[in-house]
Amino acid sequence: MFAIYKKELRSFFINPIGYVYTGAFLGLAALICCYTTIMSSSYSTSLYFTIMLFAMGILIPLLTMRLFAEERKLRTEQLLLTAPVTITGMVMGKFFAALTVFGGSLLVSCINFIPIYSVANTERAGQSFEFYHIGPVTGELVGNLVGLLLVGAAFIALGTFISALTENQLAAAVITISVIILMLGIGLLNSFINVYWLRTVLSWISIYSRFGNFQNGLFDFAAILYYASICFVFVFLTVRVYEKRRWS
C-alpha cells in the first residue's frame, strides 16, 4: 500500500492537476476568507467554513477524477491488478494520497486566520478583562477544520469509487460533483419541508446538517462515525469493483 501511496502522491505533482487543485483551493480559501471576515470586519468564521464546504464539492472532484480513470485510459490498469499488492492496499494507497493532498491544502489555508488573530489580540490589549472574549474562538476553528477534513475524506472516497467506474476523467468529475451537490442539498431541503418525520430522516442522512455541530466547536461522535461510514462504504465498493475486474 505504501508503494502505491508514494507513487500516487508523486504523480499529483508530476502532472499539473496537483498544482491546479492546490492553487485553486488556496486561492479560493483566501478570497472567501477576505470577503467573509476581513473586509466585513467580522471575527465570525461560520460563513467562511460553510462556503468552503460547498466549494469542496467542486474542488475535490478535480483531485479524484484521475485516480482510476486515468489508469484505465492509459491502459496501465493491468499493471496495478498484477502488482504484488492487494486490491485493498491499492485502493487505500490512492485514497490516502488524495486525502494527504487535500489535508495539506487545508492545513496551509489556516494561514488565512493569522490576520484575524492579530487584529483580535491588538483589540484585546486595549480592552478590560470583561471584554477579553473578543475575537475568533479557537475551539470553533478547530471544530470546523476537523469537520471539513472528515467531509473531505467522505467526498474523496465517493470520488474514488466513481473514478473506478469510468475511464473518462471529465465524466468522473461531473458525476462526482452532481452526487456531492445532491448530498449537500438534502440538508437545505429541510427549510421547505413541514413534515416532521421526513425532516428528521433528511437531517439524519444529510452531510450538511451533521456539519453544524462542528461549526459550534462540538465534536459530534455520531457525525464522526457517519463520515467514517461513508468512507468505508465507498472504499469497500471500489475494492469490490476491482476484485470483480481482476477475475473477469
Side-chain angles (χ1 to χ4, degrees):
M1 184 187 84
F2 190 61
I4 298 293
Y5 170 80
K6 290 194 299 181
K7 168 187 170 296
E8 198 64 33
L9 194 60
R10 191 183 307 113
S11 69
F12 274 118
F13 297 99
I14 292 176
N15 298 312
I17 188 64
Y19 298 100
V20 171
Y21 167 80
T22 304
F25 186 97
L26 296 179
L28 187 60
L31 188 64
I32 293 172
C33 184
C34 180
Y35 278 97
T36 57
T37 57
I38 299 174
M39 292 185 67
S40 61
S41 301
S42 171
Y43 293 119
S44 175
T45 56
S46 178
L47 181 58
Y48 165 79
F49 283 108
T50 299
I51 297 176
M52 282 301 299
L53 179 66
F54 284 89
M56 281 163 45
I58 299 175
L59 292 172
I60 286 182
L62 296 177
L63 197 62
T64 61
M65 65 182 186
R66 57 168 296 279
L67 289 178
F68 286 105
E70 186 178 53
E71 301 283 0
R72 295 187 67 184
K73 184 178 180 179
L74 297 177
R75 301 294 186 266
T76 57
E77 187 180 56
Q78 290 302 318
L79 295 177
L80 285 177
L81 293 176
T82 56
V85 62
T86 63
I87 296 294
T88 301
M90 177 189 70
V91 173
M92 293 298 290
K94 286 180 172 286
F95 169 76
F96 281 119
L99 184 60
T100 299
V101 175
F102 166 72
S105 301
L106 183 62
L107 185 62
V108 174
S109 70
C110 293
I111 295 174
N112 296 327
F113 303 122
I114 294 178
I116 304 175
Y117 270 100
S118 298
V119 173
N121 290 333
T122 300
E123 293 189 5
R124 283 170 176 166
Q127 300 291 333
S128 58
F129 179 77
E130 58 267 23
F131 295 105
Y132 196 70
H133 64 278
I134 292 176
V137 179
T138 302
E140 291 182 5
L141 288 178
V142 174
N144 276 290
L145 289 170
V146 171
L148 280 186
L149 184 63
L150 291 170
V151 174
F155 288 169
I156 289 171
L158 168 65
T160 301
F161 170 65
I162 294 175
S163 180
L165 299 177
T166 177
E167 67 178 33
N168 190 314
Q169 296 185 45
L170 181 59
V174 171
I175 295 172
T176 305
I177 290 172
S178 301
V179 175
I180 288 175
I181 290 175
L182 178 62
M183 295 172 74
L184 289 172
I186 288 176
L188 300 178
L189 291 176
N190 279 348
S191 58
F192 303 100
I193 297 176
N194 295 322
V195 182
Y196 175 77
W197 68 267
L198 184 56
R199 292 182 62 179
T200 302
V201 171
L202 291 178
S203 295
W204 190 84
I205 64 176
S206 170
I207 284 182
Y208 177 70
S209 297
R210 290 182 178 272
F211 184 72
N213 285 332
F214 292 101
Q215 287 186 305
N216 297 320
L218 301 175
F219 289 85
D220 186 347
F221 289 101
I224 294 174
L225 181 61
Y226 171 73
Y227 294 132
S229 298
I230 292 178
C231 292
F232 173 79
V233 168
F234 284 112
V235 167
F236 174 77
L237 290 175
T238 306
V239 171
R240 294 298 299 166
V241 166
Y242 269 89
E243 284 183 345
K244 181 178 180 181
R245 197 167 291 164
R246 167 178 276 183
W247 299 111
S248 62

